Amino acid sequence: MIDRRTFIFGAAGGLILGAAAKRAGAALRPVETRSLPATGMAIPVIGLGSWITFNVGDSPDLLRQSTEVIRAFVEDGGGMIDSSPMYGSAQATIGHALGQLGRPANVFHTDKVWTSSVSGGAAQIKESARHWGVARFDLLQIHNLRAWEGHLETLMAMKEAGEVRYVGITTSHGRRHGSLERVMREHPIDFVQLTYNPVDRAAEDRLLPLAQERGIGVIVNRPFQGGRLADRLSRHALPPLAQETGAASWAQLILQHIVSHPAITVVIPATTQVDHVRENKAAGRLALLDPGMRRRIADHIRAL
Amino acid sequence: MSEWWTYGLSDLLMFSPRAYWALFEQENAALWPLPLIAVGLGCLLVVLAARADRLAAPMTFGLIAIAWGSVGWSFVGQRYPTINWAASYMAPIFAVQAVIAFAFLRRAVARPPHHTAGADRILGIGLIAYATLIHPLWSVLFGRPLGSAEIVGIAPDPTAIATLGAGLAFLSGSARWLFFAIPLLWLLVSAVTLFTMGEAQGWVPAIAAVLAVIGALRERDPEKLADFSDKITRHDR
Ligand SMILES: NC(=O)c1ccc[n+]([C@@H]2O[C@H](COP(=O)([O-])OP(=O)(O)OC[C@H]3O[C@@H](n4cnc5c(N)ncnc54)[C@H](OP(=O)(O)O)[C@@H]3O)[C@@H](O)[C@H]2O)c1
């Protein structure tokens, strides 16, 4: 089901990738991509989150820094940028950056609906699109299953009308997996978003196999546990097994572990740092790991 | 539907320290040269609390009312919500404190209060002086730009601390606690926010609030004292 094709994410995306490669003075290996189960469209496995990191208000300095992060992301293949009306000014920051960067074509615009008022959903989506500066989103998700029955109707109708390409539903921190499973079984959604990393592996039991079975794309949030896992591991030396996998850092080892699960479509680490975007993106070019190596990594991290 | 209670505080915090501290830089720049004038008015508050003449209390309450009104309207009502949507819900609470301070101004004009004496008054003057002159220095001491200094009358924390100082200097009994409630609540919120962000500066609002509460608990109400000495002298007669 998961097809790992070499990637050209639209013509403009290819051009930008080419430009970045030229600037780097070397042939940049294309970023690993996954086909979206529903349509076969390819998308880079390393996306970009925006919780906290892009909530910078009107600060010109921080808007500039955020733009540089998004520039690095776009130059390195782009892909999914995920936000939500819950994230303060993050949507506006992304909109600002995309405007500055000339609206790059290789961004997979991903947002959420987050309101307990079902009738208020459409207006909120419109407001979100205004912040992003886009006419429509590639993917709209129901944030934390909030009022999901009603919003799902709205989103499906929008999809039918061509106002959004894909529809999904999110959770995090391992919450409400029972409800999520029910939605996945009973409704034709394109994506689920959930927390998954070498430490938080609750999704492995039922949700990831179910996603594969039903052809639902999986977006992984909190790969670094909101930074806590990355901080904790930074106090330990990178284990020798990283030499076997090719990961140059803990962050890369974690991302490599995550995207090597065959059910995963994209992981969306958030960062404020250009170096970290590049490092994370580079993890998408590492070899995929077999289940044995994935187990060794998880065991090693758990034992630390 | 909501499962908020299962989240830790750090899961709910939606902004980073760099975005939080940048707010003060933007606010100071947008209002310049008002921050400078505000420091001057803070110094005036210190002088008023120290002199404690007939005009001191009404002027102090007037300045405090203006400070809460403007901090609530500008920083809490407009600047802070750019990174924290919950802030817009806190702005009305600042308006309430402005109204409370205004009520105390009217009362002070009609019936000049007994100025508190002794340790709590000195602590009050100290808190106002701290809020005006020392608190802005934390930005630099913690390695942030001077432009991001938190100024009394512009930023909420020093405004709340100066307000507690004024309460110690000019009020007693239940009036003082009424005047204290919102500033104490704010300082608690601020301390929790800063600690959740991992900022050591969380100790500042926490300690200021505890000091003011200790000062208020230690008080001996001058009116009660007067009553008491009255009774004693009558008894003697
Ligand atoms: N319910 C939901 O729908 C939901 C819930 C949670 C998250 N999400 C989405 O998922 C995204 C990711 O989750 P998250 O932001 O909570 O957590 P995360 O991606 O696990 O962690 C972000 C933190 O990791 C650090 N980091 C990033 N790359 C790094 C690297 N290469 N090395 C070391 N540290 C690195 C970042 O710090 P630096 O800035 O220093 O790089 C940042 O503080 C969110 O931004 C959001 O878009 C959705």
Side-chain angles (χ1 to χ4, degrees):
Chain A
M1 166 140 315
I2 297 301
D3 169 23
R4 283 122 199 258
R5 270 186 289 161
T6 319
F7 155 67
I8 297 291
F9 188 75
L15 286 178
I16 289 166
L17 186 63
K22 229 174 267 165
R23 201 160 318 143
L28 202 63
R29 269 220 296 137
V31 178
E32 171 71 25
T33 65
R34 297 286 155 85
S35 300
L36 304 187
T39 57
M41 174 188 180
I43 182 174
V45 285
I46 308 291
L48 186 63
S50 64
W51 166 245
I52 299 181
T53 50
F54 290 162
N55 181 18
V56 298
D58 302 324
S59 163
D61 279 352
L62 299 184
L63 281 170
R64 209 172 307 122
Q65 287 176 36
S66 305
T67 301
E68 289 314 306
V69 168
I70 292 176
R71 184 196 304 278
F73 177 76
V74 164
E75 286 182 352
D76 211 343
M80 179 178 291
I81 301 181
D82 172 79
S83 196
S84 167
M86 182 193 163
Y87 297 174
S89 70
Q91 296 173 321
T93 301
I94 295 166
H96 169 86
L98 296 181
Q100 295 280 306
L101 300 172
R103 306 246 154 241
N106 64 350
V107 171
F108 190 85
H109 310 86
T110 302
D111 210 283
K112 308 189 188 92
V113 56
W114 176 70
T115 164
S116 42
S117 150
V118 170
S119 59
Q124 187 181 64
I125 291 165
K126 212 174 247 165
E127 182 68 7
S128 297
R130 194 179 64 75
H131 286 309
W132 278 71
V134 297
R136 62 168 203 169
F137 286 106
D138 293 300
L139 165 61
L140 280 170
Q141 310 155 97
I142 299 158
H143 198 146
N144 283 350
L145 292 109
R146 194 166 182 181
W148 68 267
E149 289 98 334
H151 289 315
L152 195 56
E153 264 179 49
T154 310
L155 295 187
M156 287 303 183
M158 285 178 70
K159 186 178 167 186
E160 193 75 20
E163 292 162 11
V164 63
R165 292 165 86 173
Y166 301 102
V167 171
I169 195 148
T170 81
T171 184
S172 67
H173 299 71
R175 289 189 179 85
R176 304 187 63 189
H177 280 188
S179 310
L180 200 63
E181 184 178 339
R182 218 185 88 211
V183 182
M184 289 168 73
R185 285 193 190 285
E186 295 173 5
H187 297 272
I189 55 172
D190 303 304
F191 280 96
V192 282
Q193 184 183 139
L194 44 77
T195 296
Y196 180 63
N197 58 52
V199 182
D200 302 310
R201 290 165 51 196
E204 266 176 8
D205 298 339
R206 300 173 68 94
L207 296 183
L208 296 186
L210 181 62
Q212 282 177 284
E213 179 192 318
R214 296 196 46 96
I216 297 171
V218 177
I219 301 164
V220 170
N221 62 35
R222 295 179 56 83
F224 306 132
Q225 293 188 320
R228 234 175 311 144
L229 182 59
D231 282 350
R232 180 162 74 81
L233 294 178
S234 69
R235 293 195 284 273
H236 301 275
L238 197 60
L241 57 79
Q243 272 168 11
E244 295 173 52
T245 74
S249 66
W250 278 113
Q252 288 194 341
L253 195 64
I254 292 168
L255 295 174
Q256 191 181 18
H257 175 275
I258 293 170
V259 303
S260 294
H261 191 293
I264 306 303
T265 312
V266 48
V267 53
I268 48 171
T271 180
T272 56
Q273 303 190 46
V274 168
D275 289 350
H276 283 171
V277 182
R278 298 211 172 105
E279 182 182 341
N280 296 346
K281 271 291 189 191
R285 296 188 199 97
L286 297 172
L288 295 171
L289 308 175
D290 60 42
M293 179 56 96
R294 295 185 74 247
R295 207 171 313 116
R296 279 173 62 197
I297 293 171
D299 289 346
H300 182 87
I301 290 177
R302 206 169 323 116
L304 286 176
Chain B
M1 184 77 216
S2 179
E3 68 278 11
W4 286 115
W5 60 84
T6 66
Y7 289 79
L9 275 176
S10 59
D11 292 325
L12 295 180
L13 195 77
M14 60 185 289
F15 47 86
S16 62
R18 64 172 196 153
Y20 181 73
W21 299 123
L23 293 177
F24 299 100
E25 202 167 4
Q26 297 163 62
E27 185 75 350
N28 288 335
L31 297 180
W32 191 256
L34 226 52
L36 217 53
I37 297 168
V39 172
L41 291 174
C43 293
L44 177 61
L45 282 178
V46 178
V47 172
L48 290 171
R51 287 188 21 174
D53 54 19
R54 273 190 78 82
L55 273 182
M59 281 185 72
T60 298
F61 290 126
L63 286 172
I64 299 271
I66 293 169
W68 281 81
S70 53
V71 172
W73 184 76
S74 182
F75 185 86
V76 183
Q78 296 179 60
R79 184 70 57 189
Y80 200 4
T82 60
I83 63 164
N84 180 9
W85 41 262
S88 11
Y89 298 105
M90 301 182 216
I93 300 173
F94 278 66
V96 171
Q97 182 69 12
V99 171
I100 291 173
F102 184 72
F104 277 109
L105 172 140
R106 293 190 45 171
R107 200 180 81 142
V109 170
R111 192 166 64 98
H114 296 275
H115 300 296
T116 58
D120 47 351
R121 167 121 172 278
I122 292 169
L123 179 60
I125 296 169
L127 284 177
I128 300 172
Y130 161 80
T132 304
L133 299 169
I134 316 266
H135 194 88
L137 301 179
W138 288 120
S139 66
V140 178
L141 291 174
F142 279 109
R144 304 188 294 266
L146 181 63
S148 68
E150 293 166 87
I151 308 286
V152 70
I154 308 284
D157 282 19
T159 303
I161 295 170
T163 303
L164 295 178
L168 285 172
F170 291 106
L171 296 172
S172 56
S174 50
R176 187 186 261 173
W177 291 111
L178 172 65
F179 196 62
F180 269 17
I182 289 174
L184 284 179
L185 177 73
W186 173 264
L187 291 175
L188 178 71
V189 169
S190 180
V192 170
T193 305
L194 292 170
F195 282 135
T196 307
M197 286 195 294
E199 293 291 279
Q201 197 176 321
W203 287 109
V204 171
I207 291 172
V210 168
L211 277 179
V213 169
I214 291 174
L217 288 175
R218 271 180 40 97
E219 84 165 335
R220 272 178 274 145
D221 190 326
E223 287 179 33
K224 279 189 199 141
L225 278 182
D227 273 1
F228 185 61
S229 60
D230 221 29
K231 270 180 208 150
I232 296 174
T233 35
R234 240 180 274 151
H235 188 77
D236 281 353
R237 234 181 276 144

